[in-house]
Amino acid sequence: MKFTKKLSTFAAALVFCLGILLCASLETQAASSIPTKTRIYAGGVNSYALEFSLPKVGDTIKNLKSNSKYLLLKQTRTSVSKSSYSGDSNEVTIGMFAKKEGTYKVSFDIYRNGKKYTKKTITVYAKNDSPIKTCKFSCSRNAYGLTTAKTSTVKVTMNKGYTLKKIEVGTIKTTSKVPGTVSSEYVYKTIKNGGKFTLGTKPYTSSGESGSLSSDYYYKYSSTDMIATTVIRITYVDKYTKTQETVNYSLARYA
């Protein structure tokens, strides 16, 4: 079972459009203040392993180091913006590749106005044990997660050391927030462990139109999936970092 840190709901829908197997995926952490610890999986390259915001616009990081030859690092992304409307941001992404399981230390310096401002150290847990022991659905489905069922139950059992916080079911809601456009978003509701839920019937859909055929500019588009994807979002407390993480499972029906 493959886990990918911090995937968006929209990305999960795209995965099923491509007919990928029913799978679980860890959602990528949104950029936030610099954490003191994080969790990754050993053996695979994660270019978005760690995302965070630096304290001020103009701050940079230097001297990015790992305390072990078994943990490789690279700063893979920076994004700086200033806006009186949406506020300022200074986001950094660090990619990681742990060659084997272990507990590592990552350090870097934050520079401000050309001078060293502070040093940060982050503990990295590269562990491959799965948070979920079993996730059982009562509905039958094929190898691609496709089902003809209208309802199902879901029962989640966590592995030792992990704590289940909540189970949510997400289905597509079609909206039209901008005149002339139609878009889709997932709406979630919480259910009990072992509880029954109704699968979604609406596929991901988007459409829009602007300009006119009689003018110099005209643009029209529309797209829809062949399947309606229902996302089961499981929130738990990680055994190593003691922070809340999320795993997504998906079921799909022909729409």
Side-chain angles (χ1 to χ4, degrees):
M1 188 163 51
K2 183 179 179 181
F3 293 85
T4 305
K5 255 195 157 183
K6 288 232 165 211
L7 286 180
S8 67
T9 358
F10 176 67
L14 287 179
V15 166
F16 265 93
C17 294
L18 296 172
I20 302 298
L21 296 174
L22 171 70
C23 64
S25 57
L26 240 61
E27 295 185 1
T28 303
Q29 290 183 335
S32 59
S33 57
I34 301 170
T36 58
K37 49 192 174 182
T38 192
R39 162 81 180 271
I40 64 173
Y41 290 86
V45 176
N46 186 346
S47 296
Y48 305 92
L50 184 62
E51 294 182 289
F52 56 85
S53 294
L54 293 174
K56 292 184 66 175
V57 169
D59 288 352
T60 59
I61 70 170
K62 294 182 180 181
N63 306 318
L64 177 63
K65 296 178 182 178
S66 165
N67 71 334
S68 171
K69 64 181 181 180
Y70 297 111
L71 179 66
L72 305 184
L73 307 171
K74 185 177 183 179
Q75 184 174 339
T76 55
R77 176 180 171 271
T78 58
S79 176
V80 182
S81 66
K82 293 192 70 172
S83 171
S84 58
Y85 175 74
S86 59
D88 301 343
S89 68
N90 186 359
E91 298 176 3
V92 172
T93 302
I94 296 174
M96 300 184 188
F97 171 39
K99 296 181 179 180
K100 67 177 186 177
E101 290 188 80
T103 302
Y104 305 101
K105 296 287 185 180
V106 170
S107 63
F108 55 85
D109 298 324
I110 297 178
Y111 274 68
R112 181 174 295 173
N113 300 322
K115 297 181 180 179
K116 181 178 175 180
Y117 172 69
T118 187
K119 181 177 181 177
K120 294 292 181 179
T121 301
I122 300 170
T123 302
V124 177
Y125 299 95
K127 305 292 184 179
N128 287 350
D129 56 310
S130 170
I132 310 294
K133 185 175 182 180
T134 59
C135 181
K136 296 181 179 180
F137 298 96
S138 60
C139 67
S140 61
R141 61 199 185 279
N142 69 8
Y144 295 94
L146 292 170
T147 180
T148 57
K150 295 181 180 180
T151 62
S152 180
T153 61
V154 58
K155 176 68 175 178
V156 177
T157 304
M158 306 299 296
N159 274 317
K160 186 178 179 179
Y162 296 91
T163 304
L164 177 66
K165 297 297 291 184
K166 63 179 176 179
I167 302 173
E168 299 169 285
V169 175
T171 54
I172 285 289
K173 177 184 177 182
T174 303
T175 62
S176 183
K177 295 180 180 179
V178 179
T181 67
V182 173
S183 60
S184 298
E185 62 183 23
Y186 275 91
V187 177
Y188 288 87
K189 66 176 182 179
T190 303
I191 64 169
K192 294 180 179 180
N193 194 10
K196 186 177 181 179
F197 63 92
T198 301
L199 277 74
T201 57
K202 291 183 178 181
Y204 186 90
T205 303
S206 64
S207 64
E209 185 175 14
S210 60
S212 67
L213 288 171
S214 59
S215 68
D216 292 335
Y217 172 77
Y218 178 69
Y219 178 66
K220 182 179 181 180
Y221 70 92
S222 65
S223 67
T224 183
D225 290 348
M226 293 180 64
I227 55 176
T229 302
T230 300
V231 176
I232 295 83
R233 187 164 66 185
I234 301 168
T235 302
Y236 65 94
V237 177
D238 186 79
K239 178 169 66 174
Y240 302 99
T241 64
K242 307 304 179 185
T243 57
Q244 289 194 16
E245 304 291 348
T246 305
V247 173
N248 287 345
Y249 286 81
S250 299
L251 295 173
R253 295 179 62 195
Y254 289 112

